[in-house]
Amino acid sequence: MRAAILAVGSELLGTERLDTNSLRLAEVLERYGVELAAKGVVGDDRGEIAAELGRLLGRFDLVLATGGLGPTADDLTREAAADALGRPLVFHPEIAAWIERRFRDHGVAMPESNRRQAEVIDGAVVVPNPRGTAPGMRIAAGGDGRRDATLFLFPGVPDEMAGMVSSHLEPWLAAATAGRGAREGRVFKVAALPESTVDDRIRGAYAEFGRETITILAHPGEVQLHFWATGGEAERRARLDAVAARLRELVGPAIYTADPAATLEGTVGDLLRGRGESAATAESCTGGLVAERLTRVPGSSDYFLGGAVAYSNRLKESLLGVPGALLAAHGAVSEEVARAMAAGARAAFAADWAIAVTGVAGPGGGSEEKPVGTVHLAVAGPGEDEAAVEHRRVRFPGDRRRVRELSAQLGLEMLRRRLAGLPSTAEEAGSWR
Amino acid sequence: MRAAILAVGSELLGTERLDTNSLRLAEVLERYGVELAAKGVVGDDRGEIAAELGRLLGRFDLVLATGGLGPTADDLTREAAADALGRPLVFHPEIAAWIERRFRDHGVAMPESNRRQAEVIDGAVVVPNPRGTAPGMRIAAGGDGRRDATLFLFPGVPDEMAGMVSSHLEPWLAAATAGRGAREGRVFKVAALPESTVDDRIRGAYAEFGRETITILAHPGEVQLHFWATGGEAERRARLDAVAARLRELVGPAIYTADPAATLEGTVGDLLRGRGESAATAESCTGGLVAERLTRVPGSSDYFLGGAVAYSNRLKESLLGVPGALLAAHGAVSEEVARAMAAGARAAFAADWAIAVTGVAGPGGGSEEKPVGTVHLAVAGPGEDEAAVEHRRVRFPGDRRRVRELSAQLGLEMLRRRLAGLPSTAEEAGSWR
């Protein structure tokens, strides 16, 4: 089964917005082993929408269209789909009554324009939309010399679409693909290693399992390894386990999770919660990003106490107790100051652990000795001596934003390794230096 | 002139990546008044690419294709475009020599596979790519009973494409659209007002200038008003000035910039720098986001001293000097504590200004009295008395992330208004309450 997605909406042809609904749809198609062969966007133009729907239905087995089901004059997907299929629209009074009731429940009268949303293509199955007023449709195209294909119409509002995808598209896909060996995927997330390093390390797995089995997706400071297997359940599982074992062997402790929904900050949080320990931050060049990452996690107040953004040297002294003499002798971007910031934050905030970051994010402030991208990170943990503070000096590539993102990511990963009792990131061949 | 964009690459049909090159292309087309009528994505499949290029060239005047010009076996756009146009590929030794030299300059021999990149569609104009090895092409399709249309092939690497768009597509568009009245746009950025409020306020401008003249784009806590005029330069300017004046009248001081590249944090920074004053932050529920926003701006160390992320009550006392009695009496999420955090940060960090945020970002922690989304913000500035601290209590809609984003945005906007001597956001009808 081959599928195509069409997003309708002039705003998706502008300079700011992309059709993100297609990512959610691609995920569902992937889960059921349906190949997504093409995606398209057209504006609010009845002729264009009809022409494109007609073409896609002539070429693919499943067409998922989003958007253009609203009540206003520029919502034209209903009419255009009817044109493409050569079928009339039929007014459904029970849908109009449902929409009217929905408005009444909110204490307002239904605007006349919403009556259009009760028009359904002849022969379509109505897909109810509990989160909005625009119902969706499923239509078996074909007959009359037309190729057999299925068309779904969904609203463009992401929440509404997502609800209807779960309630109707997924059951339909499950039935339509039943009996075929399903496709199943897993993911490993790798923190704080460059994409090229991870790619090099897993060459052996490409060779062993086939390049198409494993996909690398890179974000700043994070690489995701997606891998796939098809076939019967037992066969699939065995294959996925084999790939997973090989990847673990090749990539090692840099894999921080196999949970598609997990984040690095959440993983660090779970480790802290599990140990009953607390953390704090001391940031200069990242300007609060490490604290912001840690506090994205709901419930992070259980283990995160707080942090200092010490941008000025004066605040490094007053908030974190970094000796002025150290700052004068080595400069704010130095191993000595990073270590003192981490130890100072741990002491000042009475935390078990502290992450400290000081560096030159750029574009200004670089020198020959400390070029832009130079960052010193330190993690202080339980223990009385200097050795309890781990330090790394790296030079990151990229612009200000990238340097800050990579710094925050490496700081979190350094803490994760300490908490999990894993080897330091400094021992990773191919890590940033 | 009507245009279409086709992005080639199987990775753009997956669950993670979107074709962002099209945003840059849409921007350029918009600048030259060329309507973008459709966008599409196809995978690395020669038949699919050829079919889609053929269709688009039969329907639109200008087709911009990106991706699939690399050296590997799955880079098939060259061959597919040749198929679609019914023309042969011709090997250009001078391009091969150029690619070979590029490799030699980097101290490596050219892999044999890169020779493919020297193949050019018969009759195409080569578009050099100074940032990579894949040259682009411009081809006048038409003749042989084919519709007249122009096809550009660009590499998919964003930097490489952007360079070639500037050096070749823009001059071509300038020539192709010369003589027609150009289209010109401006933007106003509005902080910390809901989209519906801004939309309501500018109804009069829609009525006066036509709905298609003004486009609203909404991001969390920020609304952008894009407006357009066509015609000769004097006519265009007069019209844009008239729309701008009306929008300023309707929206008022919430417009923080007319510079497309400006950000709210940059605007706040410019105001601070202009006054020779400094700022600090005291954050609870935003967890460092306000400091992170302020320090995104290069050179922010000129005016930003630092901040405290005081997640625990203990740190609110020790870092910011919030009296324990106040916390006990009113709770951490309260007007009294927000005011004390702002005043405390100002004093402790010896800053001229301080922004404080404390709230319930959710999903947990809400109560009947203080539901999720309840946020207290305070801005402390020069002056000895209580009145120098401005306070707002709002209840934001949305999830944890949205509440944090809106909180940071409103905090920055409260400071901007104070610095610019503008009325408080609390006096804005339709602002969050």
Side-chain angles (χ1 to χ4, degrees):
Chain A
M1 193 188 295
R2 297 179 80 214
I5 295 172
L6 180 67
V8 176
S10 295
E11 73 281 6
L12 302 173
L13 293 170
T15 61
E16 304 256 352
R17 290 209 186 161
L18 290 167
D19 157 39
T20 51
N21 281 331
S22 64
L23 296 178
R24 167 86 180 108
L25 293 172
E27 206 180 289
V28 170
L29 292 174
E30 195 169 84
R31 205 172 323 130
Y32 290 91
V34 176
E35 184 199 346
L36 175 59
K39 301 205 287 193
V41 179
V42 290
D44 301 310
D45 176 316
R46 183 164 166 174
E48 262 339 305
I49 305 167
E52 188 63 358
L53 283 178
R55 184 182 77 88
L56 295 173
L57 288 168
R59 199 169 173 89
F60 302 106
D61 309 300
L62 174 64
V63 177
L64 307 175
T66 59
L69 298 182
T72 69
D74 59 0
D75 289 306
L76 297 164
T77 302
R78 267 179 304 266
E79 288 77 4
D83 295 347
L85 295 160
R87 297 196 200 167
L89 284 168
V90 181
F91 181 76
H92 282 225
E94 80 284 4
I95 300 179
W98 183 87
I99 297 174
E100 210 155 3
R101 198 162 49 242
R102 209 185 130 89
F103 273 95
R104 216 171 29 235
D105 289 351
H106 286 80
V108 281
M110 182 181 83
E112 191 51 31
S113 58
N114 283 78
R115 286 180 66 85
R116 288 183 58 224
Q117 297 185 300
E119 297 196 334
V120 173
I121 291 170
D122 194 25
V125 174
V126 175
V127 178
N129 176 5
R131 296 177 189 167
T133 57
M137 297 179 215
R138 188 189 82 227
I139 307 132
D144 275 344
R146 285 188 171 81
R147 186 173 178 286
D148 278 340
T150 302
L151 170 64
F152 275 86
L153 304 182
F154 293 113
V157 180
D159 266 3
E160 299 180 16
M161 187 205 72
M164 294 156 79
V165 164
S166 302
S167 66
H168 278 74
L169 178 61
E170 295 206 42
W172 184 86
L173 282 168
T177 60
R180 296 197 305 153
R183 188 162 181 248
E184 190 178 338
R186 289 192 200 162
V187 64
F188 281 162
K189 298 187 182 182
V190 179
L193 281 180
E195 180 183 10
S196 56
T197 299
V198 179
D199 196 41
D200 276 352
R201 285 204 203 163
I202 65 172
R203 292 251 159 107
Y206 288 142
E208 190 173 338
F209 299 102
R211 192 134 196 146
E212 70 292 349
T213 300
I214 304 159
T215 308
I216 277 201
L217 288 173
H219 307 276
E222 171 150 328
V223 173
Q224 297 186 1
L225 299 170
H226 292 253
F227 48 104
W228 306 96
T230 43
E233 186 167 338
E235 182 193 353
R236 231 159 58 212
R237 292 286 154 84
R239 170 104 174 162
L240 287 173
D241 287 346
V243 180
R246 188 83 175 101
L247 289 176
R248 286 204 182 273
E249 196 176 84
L250 295 169
V251 181
I255 297 172
Y256 72 83
T257 190
D259 174 356
T263 61
L264 183 57
E265 54 271 22
T267 304
V268 168
D270 289 344
L271 287 165
L272 285 166
R273 188 183 278 114
R275 294 168 62 117
E277 291 176 342
S278 62
T281 53
E283 302 181 65
S284 183
C285 70
T286 42
L289 184 56
V290 181
E292 195 269 317
R293 290 275 303 272
L294 283 165
T295 59
R296 277 181 205 173
V297 184
S300 45
S301 55
D302 291 353
Y303 48 80
F304 182 68
L305 301 176
V309 182
Y311 227 51
S312 73
N313 280 351
R314 189 155 48 76
L315 287 195
K316 289 185 184 77
E317 295 184 49
S318 68
L319 281 177
L320 298 167
V322 178
L326 218 59
L327 285 158
H330 305 283
V333 178
S334 62
E335 171 170 354
E336 291 77 4
V337 168
R339 286 180 178 276
M341 285 170 67
R346 206 180 149 252
F349 308 156
D352 298 302
W353 297 91
I355 303 174
V357 191
T358 177
V360 187
S367 65
E368 200 162 323
E369 194 201 349
K370 298 172 184 178
V372 168
T374 303
V375 179
H376 288 267
L377 299 108
V379 169
E384 293 300 306
D385 59 351
E386 261 285 294
V389 180
E390 186 200 352
H391 162 264
R392 281 203 66 189
R393 175 193 198 277
V394 283
R395 183 167 169 209
F396 289 119
D399 62 8
R400 180 179 183 86
R401 179 174 165 178
R402 183 60 59 98
V403 170
R404 285 159 52 102
E405 286 173 349
L406 292 172
S407 300
Q409 186 76 351
L410 181 55
L412 291 170
E413 174 66 2
M414 285 170 67
L415 176 54
R416 182 187 74 88
R417 300 263 185 131
R418 294 283 300 272
L419 291 169
L422 294 168
S424 158
T425 58
E427 289 156 37
E428 292 275 349
S431 170
W432 287 285
R433 298 286 154 197
Chain B
M1 193 189 292
R2 298 179 80 214
I5 296 171
L6 180 67
V8 177
S10 296
E11 73 281 8
L12 301 173
L13 292 171
T15 62
E16 304 259 350
R17 290 209 185 162
L18 289 167
D19 156 40
T20 52
N21 282 331
S22 64
L23 296 179
R24 167 89 180 106
L25 294 171
E27 205 180 289
V28 171
L29 293 173
E30 193 169 84
R31 206 174 321 131
Y32 290 91
V34 176
E35 183 199 346
L36 175 58
K39 301 204 286 194
V41 178
V42 290
D44 301 311
D45 175 316
R46 183 164 167 173
E48 260 340 303
I49 305 168
E52 186 64 358
L53 284 177
R55 184 183 77 90
L56 295 173
L57 287 168
R59 196 169 175 90
F60 301 105
D61 309 299
L62 175 64
V63 177
L64 308 174
T66 59
L69 299 181
T72 68
D74 59 0
D75 289 307
L76 297 164
T77 302
R78 266 179 305 267
E79 288 77 4
D83 295 346
L85 295 160
R87 298 196 198 166
L89 285 168
V90 181
F91 181 75
H92 282 226
E94 79 284 4
I95 300 179
W98 182 88
I99 297 174
E100 209 154 6
R101 198 161 53 242
R102 209 186 130 88
F103 273 95
R104 214 169 34 235
D105 289 350
H106 286 80
V108 281
M110 183 182 83
E112 190 53 30
S113 57
N114 283 78
R115 285 179 65 84
R116 288 183 58 223
Q117 297 185 300
E119 298 195 333
V120 173
I121 292 170
D122 193 26
V125 174
V126 174
V127 178
N129 175 6
R131 297 178 188 166
T133 56
M137 297 179 215
R138 189 189 82 227
I139 306 130
D144 275 344
R146 283 188 172 82
R147 188 173 177 285
D148 277 340
T150 303
L151 170 65
F152 275 85
L153 304 182
F154 294 113
V157 180
D159 265 4
E160 299 181 15
M161 187 205 73
M164 295 156 80
V165 164
S166 302
S167 65
H168 277 74
L169 178 61
E170 295 206 42
W172 184 87
L173 282 169
T177 59
R180 295 196 306 152
R183 187 159 182 250
E184 189 179 338
R186 289 193 200 158
V187 65
F188 281 160
K189 298 187 182 181
V190 179
L193 280 181
E195 180 183 11
S196 56
T197 299
V198 180
D199 196 42
D200 275 353
R201 285 204 204 166
I202 65 172
R203 292 251 159 107
Y206 287 143
E208 191 174 338
F209 299 102
R211 191 132 198 150
E212 68 291 351
T213 301
I214 306 159
T215 308
I216 278 201
L217 289 173
H219 306 275
E222 173 152 326
V223 172
Q224 297 185 1
L225 299 171
H226 292 253
F227 48 104
W228 306 95
T230 44
E233 184 167 340
E235 182 194 352
R236 231 160 57 212
R237 292 287 152 85
R239 170 110 174 156
L240 287 173
D241 288 345
V243 180
R246 188 84 175 100
L247 289 176
R248 284 204 182 275
E249 199 177 79
L250 295 169
V251 181
I255 297 173
Y256 73 83
T257 190
D259 174 355
T263 60
L264 182 58
E265 55 269 22
T267 305
V268 167
D270 290 343
L271 286 165
L272 286 166
R273 189 183 278 113
R275 296 168 62 118
E277 292 177 340
S278 62
T281 52
E283 302 181 65
S284 182
C285 68
T286 42
L289 183 56
V290 181
E292 194 270 317
R293 289 275 303 271
L294 283 165
T295 59
R296 279 181 203 174
V297 183
S300 45
S301 55
D302 291 353
Y303 48 79
F304 183 68
L305 302 176
V309 181
Y311 227 52
S312 73
N313 280 350
R314 189 154 48 76
L315 287 195
K316 289 184 184 79
E317 294 183 46
S318 68
L319 282 176
L320 299 166
V322 177
L326 218 57
L327 285 159
H330 304 283
V333 178
S334 62
E335 171 169 355
E336 291 77 4
V337 168
R339 286 179 178 276
M341 285 169 68
R346 205 179 150 254
F349 307 156
D352 297 304
W353 297 92
I355 302 174
V357 191
T358 177
V360 187
S367 64
E368 199 161 324
E369 196 200 350
K370 299 171 182 177
V372 169
T374 303
V375 179
H376 289 267
L377 300 106
V379 169
E384 294 301 306
D385 58 351
E386 260 285 295
V389 181
E390 188 202 351
H391 162 265
R392 281 202 66 190
R393 175 194 199 276
V394 284
R395 184 168 167 206
F396 289 119
D399 61 9
R400 180 180 183 85
R401 178 174 165 178
R402 182 60 58 97
V403 169
R404 282 158 54 103
E405 285 172 349
L406 292 172
S407 300
Q409 185 77 350
L410 181 55
L412 291 169
E413 174 65 3
M414 285 171 66
L415 176 54
R416 182 187 74 88
R417 300 260 184 134
R418 293 283 301 271
L419 292 168
L422 293 168
S424 157
T425 57
E427 290 156 37
E428 293 274 349
S431 168
W432 287 285
R433 298 287 154 193

